[in-house]
Amino acid sequence: LYQAWLSNIDASQLYPLGQLNYQRGQAELRGKLPEHSLTTFDQIIITLGAGTENANLPSDSIILRGQFNTSISDTVSNLLSPEVDGGTKGALFGITDQLALAIQHHGFAIEALTASDLAKVKVHTEHQINILDGRSGSFFGDLNGDGQAQNPGDNVGIRTYWMQVADTLTNLELASGNQQFTRDQLRAIAQNNLTTIKLASEQASKIFASDTIEEAQPFLDTVHEHLLALVKGRDLDNSNTIDPLTGEGGIQITEAFIIQLNEVPLIKE
């Protein structure tokens, strides 16, 4: 009976991950990590024999031990955090947060379209572009010509957050081939999402030259498709699957896939 545990170095804090399913020389464990596990625990240990959540594990019951790479786990944790040093958002959290806001204002634009209010369509289209591109972007500005560059977002922009993700991944020092492969796939996802942001901004910009609701609608529909792609990804290879291994994912896949960078080699005790 093999059990997996999260532990800190002195084993004063333990979290049972469960029993490993061991067959034909391979062990598998499926489950959900507890909140803040990357900052609370330092290692994973595999024990032989049954245990409970409050058990004090004798040292001779530990058969395998793997230390977390704190540099990588801290980086992943910071990317996903709502607040890091200096009060800024983690880049992946920022993408999720600002993308929800862009989708909300896209909904406002659709409501205005339904009400045949082209002026409000343009106001909320400006909001979407400025949330996507951020204050430093080439699309950002007073796009509807009302004398003010309106931005309900945080001024960083989803584009800038994806650039931060790509830069962070590039600078990571990784030990294993699996980690390097995961990093390459995540960088491809980042680049594809940056392309999608540019396409969405270009299509949205065409709404400002529209003179009628009918003329604006196809551009707004296309923006909707791009926003969905930023959330869920896009099936680029027509395989009927959105797959991180071909860089197709959006923010949802990225948040799940980046955890794989926390690979922990297990060493026999």
Side-chain angles (χ1 to χ4, degrees), residues 175-234:
S176 76
N178 287 337
Q179 289 174 318
Q180 292 169 11
F181 175 80
T182 299
R183 190 253 306 276
D184 290 345
Q185 297 304 315
L186 288 167
R187 288 174 63 188
I189 289 174
Q191 292 304 316
N192 285 341
N193 277 270
L194 285 167
T195 298
T196 300
I197 290 169
K198 182 179 179 182
L199 292 172
S201 299
E202 288 174 346
Q203 290 298 305
S205 296
K206 296 177 181 179
I207 292 172
F208 301 106
S210 300
D211 298 319
T212 65
I213 289 291
E214 292 74 20
E215 191 177 349
Q217 182 164 3
F219 301 123
L220 198 60
D221 291 343
T222 303
V223 172
H224 179 74
E225 294 174 5
H226 290 314
L227 290 174
L228 286 180
L230 290 171
V231 176
K232 298 182 178 181
R234 200 189 303 271

Side-chain angles (χ1 to χ4, degrees), residues 95-112:
I95 293 167
T96 300
D97 177 62
Q98 294 299 289
L99 190 50
L101 191 60
I103 290 170
Q104 180 185 40
H105 282 270
H106 181 75
F108 294 155
I110 291 175
E111 289 175 1

Side-chain angles (χ1 to χ4, degrees), residues 2-23:
Y2 297 97
Q3 298 275 351
W5 305 75
L6 292 176
S7 167
N8 57 358
I9 292 298
D10 62 4
S12 61
Q13 295 189 69
L14 297 169
Y15 182 88
L17 292 173
Q19 182 178 338
L20 276 70
N21 180 18
Y22 184 79
Q23 291 182 341

